[in-house]
């Protein structure tokens, strides 16, 4: 690609951020569409997120992806905050609407689009069970509720965080136990159990033997691509999906916010695959 005087800058801000797959995904999207943009990873120390938003405003950057620890504190610097970002108290994407900077959260929409694209599953009318209640779980619970899920049961060690996640489900949410998974259509793991490098590589968050024969198992983890949970789900013949779909589609939503173009999903997926297998 050729960088010119017209090339627009987008970046992910975070700490740490050098490990991020976002530069590979977004630069692949710019290349595939011919959009004159470049995407960098910018290490921004804790507490300096608002200064990065001021730089976006001052220098007219195309947009920002925001990761930990800045997701909550960039909100105050935005002119407009979308409903998901407001409800979750966290923005992962900043874009321009006219001369206003909008703070948005694309994780939930990315999850729903990834589920539909990968498995052809839409949450409307489904009984969903969410295992885990951290930031990712909250975003997905909210999106499932918005997409018309019939029930969302949250199962988590810490009861306070479970209640917080349930609060994003509106009328269809409740706190549950692992025994509730037996009746769920869609069971989601949003804990780090099974994730590489977290000390839980061999752990499974729940026993797939207890699930229905037609249950769908969704693991938000993308490294490794096949967690012990997904291996067990595959051995039982259950439909399953890893976290790469959510990763790619939340980036696709960001690309669309910034450029107004349809995201080149295949090229973004290929960029992730090249990163995870290299
Ligand atoms: P988080 O905010 O730290 O929340 C972690 C959740 O896992 C908490 O509910 C925690 O329970 C639970 N947990 C942690 N260790 C556990 C254990 N040993 N046993 C049972 N529960 C345990 O993390 P997060 O940001 O939500 O991320 C959660 C997972 O989603 C991670 O694997 C992450 O890689 C993945 N993720 C994927 C994407 C994607 O695009 N695919 C995006 C974001 C996150 P307590 O509340 O009881 O402590």
């Amino acid at each position: 690609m050729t960088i010119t005087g017209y090339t627009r800058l987008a970046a992910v801000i975070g700490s740490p951020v050098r490990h991020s797959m976002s530069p590979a995904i977004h630069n692949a999207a710019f290349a595939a569409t011919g959009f004159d943009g470049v995407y960098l990873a910018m290490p921004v120390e804790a507490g300096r997120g608002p200064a990065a938003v001021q730089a976006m405003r001052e220098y007219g950057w195309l947009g920002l992806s925001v990761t930990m620890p800045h997701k909550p504190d960039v909100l105050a610097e935005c002119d407009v905050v979308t409903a998901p970002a407001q409800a979750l108290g966290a923005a992962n994407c900043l874009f321009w609407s006219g001369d206003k900077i909008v703070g948005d959260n694309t994780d939930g929409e990315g999850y729903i689009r990834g589920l539909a694209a990968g498995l052809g599953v839409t949450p409307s009318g489904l009984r969903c069970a969410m295992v885990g209640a951290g930031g990712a779980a909250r975003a997905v619970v909210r999106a499932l509720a918005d997409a018309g899920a019939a029930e969302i049961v949250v199962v988590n060690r810490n009861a306070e965080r479970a209640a917080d996640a349930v609060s994003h489900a509106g009328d269809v949410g409740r706190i549950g136990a692992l025994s509730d998974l037996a009746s769920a259509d869609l069971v989601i793991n949003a804990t780090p159990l099974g994730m590489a490098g977290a000390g839980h590589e061999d752990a499974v968050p729940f026993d797939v033997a207890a699930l229905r024969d037609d249950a769908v198992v969704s693991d938000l983890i993308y490294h490794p691509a096949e967690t012990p949970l997904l291996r067990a789900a595959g051995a039982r013949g259950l439909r399953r999906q890893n976290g790469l779909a959510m990763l790619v589609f939340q980036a696709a939503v960001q690309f669309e916010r910034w450029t107004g173009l349809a995201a080149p999903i295949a090229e973004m997926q290929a960029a992730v695959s090249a990163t995870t297998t290299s």
Side-chain angles (χ1 to χ4, degrees), residues 132-137 156-158 161 190-193 195 200 220-222 243 246-247:
N156 193 54
R157 284 183 313 196
N158 178 293
R161 274 192 285 276
T191 77
L193 298 180
M195 186 164 81
H200 310 295
L220 300 193
I221 294 170
Y222 51 79
M246 176 172 168
L247 179 72

Side-chain angles (χ1 to χ4, degrees), residues 91-226:
N92 74 338
C93 171
L94 270 51
F95 65 94
W96 290 99
S97 174
D99 61 354
K100 308 239 181 295
I101 291 181
V102 182
D104 196 8
N105 196 308
T106 65
D107 278 339
E109 185 178 343
Y111 178 78
I112 302 293
R113 280 179 57 179
L115 194 64
L119 296 179
V121 171
T122 50
S124 179
L126 296 188
R127 283 169 294 176
C128 306
M130 172 63 71
V131 181
R138 285 195 297 274
V140 172
V141 163
R142 189 176 191 287
L144 290 169
D146 282 351
E151 179 180 62
I152 305 171
V153 180
V154 176
V155 181
N156 193 54
R157 284 183 313 196
N158 178 293
E160 210 172 305
R161 274 192 285 276
D164 184 0
V166 165
S167 75
H168 292 278
D171 293 345
V172 298
R174 68 176 171 89
I175 297 178
L178 284 174
S179 55
D180 286 299
L181 305 190
S183 56
D185 302 303
L186 172 63
V187 186
I188 303 161
N189 173 42
T191 77
L193 298 180
M195 186 164 81
H200 310 295
E201 286 85 345
D202 300 324
V204 285
F206 51 84
D207 183 4
V208 295
L211 305 185
R212 288 177 14 192
D213 290 341
D214 59 352
V216 173
V217 176
S218 164
D219 198 334
L220 300 193
I221 294 170
Y222 51 79
H223 185 51
E226 187 178 63

